[in-house]
Amino acid sequence: PVPAELAEFQSNLPASLGGMSSEMMGPPPRTRQSVCVVSPSASPSPVPFLLVSLLFFVLYLLSVPFALCPPFLVVSVAFGFVTLWEICESIYSSVRPPGQQKKKSKNSKDGGFLAADHAPSHQFSAFWYAFPLRLWALFLPTVFALGLNEFAESLDNNDATRVVGVILSTGLLIGTFGFTVAHELLHSRHLKDQYAAWTMTTLVYYGHWNLEHRYHHHKFVSTPLDPATALRGQSFYSYLGQTVGGTFKTAWSRGGAGRGQRRVLSYLACSACVTCACVLRAGVAAGVAYHLVVSALAIMLLEVVQYVEHYGLKRSQTSEKANPSNADDYEAVGNMHSWNAKNSLTDLILFNLQHHAHHHADPKTEYHMLDANYKGSSPQLVLPYSSMALLSLVPPMFFSSMDRRLKALQSGAIEASLSWSDTPAVLTAAGLATLSISLLRY
């Protein structure tokens, strides 16, 4: 590269004396780029994500195949203790004095990230951030197989309590970690990660979700054309039928010349092979029942999170069409079209899925780089995703909390904190969490 002073001197010389045009000089000297940037809301280390994943996998091993703990242990921890942790942290954040609030870091001029110079000195390669995700690609089939074996043995021993516990624990682990990790791998730049995502979702008869999510949901989110967007006042039970049927329909019709149909049928064929394996181990009726019930639980957990993510948020129509059918007929997807939350524990379990507006702004951004309040314009929930998912099972309580939040959002309130008006919703979520913990008695 030509030094700046020499380039300026030569550019002022006449051509006969050796002057150099910008074309002759070539491109300006390249400046050294930062190797990585760190989001202010994300952990700079993949270790906490890995430890939480290993913790839940070990809890499953202790409670299901080894039978050293109650079979409902995973359910009680995921829906009980985690939800109570969320509620306590949210209450503390709402009542602590303003002077104790953490000072917000000054973002770069794009508002999204801290400069790499201010990042912690220890940096990890992309391999280590992807390691917990790829580990679940191995864990998940293992969980399913171990659950199937324990289910068959419990049936032989006529242990109904253990049968129910095994099914709930297996379905919950696949629905929580399985789909969360599959979602992250689906957006990976590496083809092997995308194949792993398809493998994980076909395990539970929902392989076609990959097509719908990647090519339809991100394009039509927060519009009437997206089956995975819940309308204001729509209960989760109404939404569940809409999104399951709509996801299949959009995946089936994607592409021309039967392309979508062929891919959906291939996913269903892979899932049917898993059902055959269940039949070989547990018998026809029991094997089919185990696979279908575990699949239903996992799908329901995925959809209850998607229900919360975009509930009541709409993109304005920009065209004058009576029946808009293209994404261009609506305003561009913005930060205001996804609900966000931040919690020290739930972020680790869901791999920062709660930082959802940033994900829709740039789906290729890795989970550890996602910002909970991207560019300071991402609407926040009063409670994190796990609590809101439980609350959505009781529509009146969910509506009472979310409708107030939507009304505040219309007034420009991006941030959210608990208030006395949220007491019924908080008590309902805490009650359901306590009920989950009480399953440890069995």
Side-chain angles (χ1 to χ4, degrees):
V2 182
E5 295 82 0
L6 179 60
E8 182 180 0
F9 173 75
Q10 289 179 332
S11 63
N12 293 327
L13 289 176
S16 60
L17 297 179
M20 298 176 65
S21 64
S22 59
E23 291 79 3
M24 297 172 62
M25 291 171 58
R30 295 179 61 184
T31 58
R32 184 176 180 180
Q33 300 294 325
S34 301
V35 293
C36 67
V37 290
V38 178
S39 168
S41 64
S43 170
S45 169
V47 175
F49 296 95
L50 177 61
L51 291 179
V52 169
S53 295
L54 290 174
L55 172 64
F56 273 86
F57 184 64
V58 170
L59 290 178
Y60 184 84
L61 293 179
L62 293 175
S63 59
V64 175
F66 297 156
L68 299 177
C69 299
F72 296 99
L73 179 61
V74 174
V75 179
S76 297
V77 171
F79 278 145
F81 293 108
V82 171
T83 300
L84 292 180
W85 177 280
E86 288 181 347
I87 293 173
C88 291
E89 188 171 315
S90 298
I91 293 175
Y92 173 72
S93 300
S94 302
V95 302
R96 62 180 173 175
Q100 296 182 9
Q101 300 285 347
K102 294 181 180 179
K103 294 182 179 180
K104 294 183 178 180
S105 303
K106 293 182 178 180
N107 294 346
S108 57
K109 61 183 179 180
D110 68 347
F113 299 103
L114 289 175
D117 296 337
H118 302 292
S121 58
H122 56 280
Q123 299 292 347
F124 294 84
S125 66
F127 169 82
W128 291 110
Y129 285 106
F131 183 70
L133 303 173
R134 293 168 180 168
L135 201 60
W136 272 109
L138 300 176
F139 282 170
L140 211 63
T142 305
V143 165
F144 188 88
L146 292 174
L148 172 62
N149 184 69
E150 188 64 24
F151 169 78
E153 292 184 358
S154 299
L155 278 181
D156 294 338
N157 297 329
N158 295 320
D159 191 345
T161 301
R162 191 156 188 81
V163 167
V164 175
V166 168
I167 290 177
L168 287 179
S169 297
T170 305
L172 185 146
L173 211 60
I174 295 176
T176 302
F177 285 96
F179 275 111
T180 301
V181 171
H183 171 262
E184 187 67 26
L185 294 178
L186 182 65
H187 290 287
S188 172
R189 297 175 175 87
H190 303 288
L191 191 59
K192 60 184 178 182
D193 290 336
Q194 297 176 24
Y195 283 139
W198 294 328
T199 301
M200 297 166 78
T201 53
T202 53
L203 194 63
V204 288
Y205 276 105
Y206 222 46
H208 56 276
W209 173 79
N210 299 284
L211 290 176
E212 191 280 335
H213 179 84
R214 188 171 185 180
Y215 299 108
H216 191 90
H217 173 68
H218 273 266
K219 185 177 181 180
F220 294 102
V221 63
S222 296
T223 71
L225 302 176
D226 178 32
T229 297
L231 302 176
R232 182 172 183 174
Q234 183 180 20
S235 71
F236 167 68
Y237 306 103
S238 170
Y239 164 83
L240 185 61
Q242 165 191 300
T243 187
V244 171
T247 296
F248 185 88
K249 181 180 179 180
T250 53
W252 182 266
S253 60
R254 183 185 178 272
R259 181 183 177 187
Q261 291 91 321
R262 289 194 298 271
R263 295 189 68 176
V264 170
L265 289 175
S266 66
Y267 296 146
L268 292 176
C270 293
S271 300
C273 291
V274 178
T275 301
C276 292
C278 295
V279 169
L280 291 175
R281 179 62 185 90
V284 177
V288 171
Y290 172 82
H291 194 194
L292 293 182
V293 175
V294 167
S295 297
L297 288 173
I299 292 169
M300 189 176 75
L301 283 172
L302 164 70
E303 296 299 353
V304 76
V305 171
Q306 291 199 140
Y307 172 74
V308 173
E309 287 172 345
H310 306 286
Y311 171 82
L313 301 176
K314 298 189 298 183
R315 289 158 60 186
S316 301
Q317 184 176 339
T318 56
S319 70
E320 298 180 356
K321 296 180 181 179
N323 297 305
S325 58
N326 298 316
D328 295 338
D329 295 328
Y330 297 90
E331 63 175 319
V333 179
N335 296 339
M336 297 294 291
H337 303 128
S338 301
W339 289 110
N340 304 264
K342 184 178 181 182
N343 181 268
S344 58
L345 183 56
T346 316
D347 284 345
L348 299 178
I349 296 174
L350 297 180
F351 291 91
N352 285 338
L353 181 65
Q354 300 181 126
H355 308 175
H356 209 58
H358 192 174
H359 168 67
H360 273 274
D362 184 7
K364 294 296 183 182
T365 301
E366 291 83 0
Y367 68 91
H368 60 280
M369 305 291 289
L370 297 176
D371 193 347
N373 190 2
Y374 185 52
K375 296 188 176 180
S377 59
S378 305
Q380 305 293 308
L381 292 167
V382 293
L383 290 171
Y385 275 17
S386 179
S387 300
M388 296 307 298
L390 277 180
L391 207 57
S392 68
L393 302 179
V394 187
M397 291 295 101
F398 181 83
F399 294 152
S400 68
S401 177
M402 289 301 297
D403 288 352
R404 281 194 299 272
R405 187 67 194 93
L406 283 168
K407 185 176 180 180
L409 184 61
Q410 292 174 352
S411 303
I414 298 296
E415 299 288 346
S417 60
L418 290 174
S419 62
W420 287 108
S421 58
D422 294 308
T423 301
V426 171
L427 292 178
T428 301
L432 292 174
T434 305
L435 183 63
S436 300
I437 296 175
S438 67
L439 294 174
L440 291 175
R441 298 179 301 172
Y442 301 100

